[in-house]
Amino acid sequence: MNPMIAKFVSQGFMTEEQGQYIEDAIMKKESIVVSGHRSAGIRPLMASLMAVAKAAFPSVQVKGFEDLQTETEFFLIPGIDGIDFEKLIGDAIAVENTAFISLKEPEHPVSLMKVMKANYKAGKGIGKKIHTLECIKVDNVPVLDKITEMMLDENGKIQKKDL
C-alpha cells in the first residue's frame, strides 16, 4: 500500500480494506471526493490522495476553470473560494479521459448527483466512477465512515454502491 495512504490506516483513520480500495481507485484513474467537515480530517486526507495521484499520473492543480483545458490525467481541485465550485466540479467530470480528486465540505458544497445529471444531458461523463469518502468524528476522533461509488450509466441513471 502507498505510504501516504498507509499512514491513515496505521492511525486508525481508515481500515486496511478502505485504504486498498482508495489506492486501487486512484490507480484505475477514478475520481475521488473527500466529504465531511474540516474537523473530520478531510483536508489532510485529500492532500495525501492528491500526492498519490500526482506521483503516478500527469496532474494539474486546478485554480480556476482555465486549468481544465490543460492536457492531463488527474485534476487536483482543492476548495477554491470566489468561483462556482459546483460548476467547476461538473466541468471537471465532463473532461474526457481524466479523473479528479477534490472535496465536499460546508464551505464548498457540491451536489454530485446534480452535476452528473447535467453532464448526462450534455452527453458527458457517462461511465465515469466517482468515489465519495465520507469522513466523520466518532468520540471526537476523525475517521473514514463510508465509501460510496457512483457512476452515471448510459441511460442517465446514477448507480450507487457502498463499500
Side-chain angles (χ1 to χ4, degrees):
M1 180 179 301
N2 184 292
M4 298 292 287
I5 296 174
K7 76 177 181 183
F8 288 94
V9 174
S10 66
Q11 294 169 352
F13 184 85
M14 66 177 71
T15 67
E16 193 167 328
E17 178 188 17
Q18 290 171 323
Q20 192 59 58
Y21 180 92
I22 294 165
E23 183 173 357
D24 292 346
I26 292 171
M27 293 307 143
K28 290 188 264 182
K29 292 193 281 186
E30 296 172 349
S31 297
I32 295 180
V33 175
V34 182
S35 175
H37 192 272
R38 282 187 189 193
S39 66
I42 67 169
R43 294 236 168 188
L45 177 59
M46 177 192 66
S48 292
L49 299 181
M50 286 180 171
V52 171
K54 188 175 184 176
F57 301 101
S59 304
V60 170
Q61 178 143 357
V62 176
K63 296 179 180 94
F65 289 93
E66 63 281 353
D67 294 320
L68 298 178
Q69 307 304 316
T70 308
E71 180 98 10
T72 193
E73 293 183 34
F74 256 98
F75 292 118
L76 309 176
I77 309 172
I80 304 169
D81 295 324
I83 64 169
D84 185 343
F85 192 70
E86 187 169 82
K87 179 174 177 9
L88 183 68
I89 296 297
D91 288 2
I93 292 170
V95 178
E96 294 294 321
N97 302 314
T98 64
F100 69 91
I101 296 176
S102 190
L103 51 71
K104 179 180 174 182
E105 62 184 347
E107 297 85 355
H108 301 98
V110 177
S111 172
L112 290 171
M113 294 204 289
K114 176 181 158 186
V115 295
M116 290 172 82
K117 293 248 183 217
N119 273 323
Y120 176 77
K121 290 177 183 171
K124 307 265 186 189
I126 298 164
K128 279 191 172 182
K129 290 184 180 178
I130 300 173
H131 304 273
T132 303
L133 314 181
E134 296 180 36
C135 302
I136 62 169
K137 283 179 124 180
V138 176
D139 297 326
N140 225 21
V141 177
V143 294
L144 174 56
D145 182 53
K146 183 169 124 181
I147 300 176
T148 303
E149 174 189 288
M150 292 189 292
M151 184 184 79
L152 184 65
D153 70 17
E154 60 280 345
N155 298 317
K157 302 283 185 226
I158 296 174
Q159 306 295 322
K160 289 175 75 174
K161 178 171 62 173
D162 292 334
L163 171 69

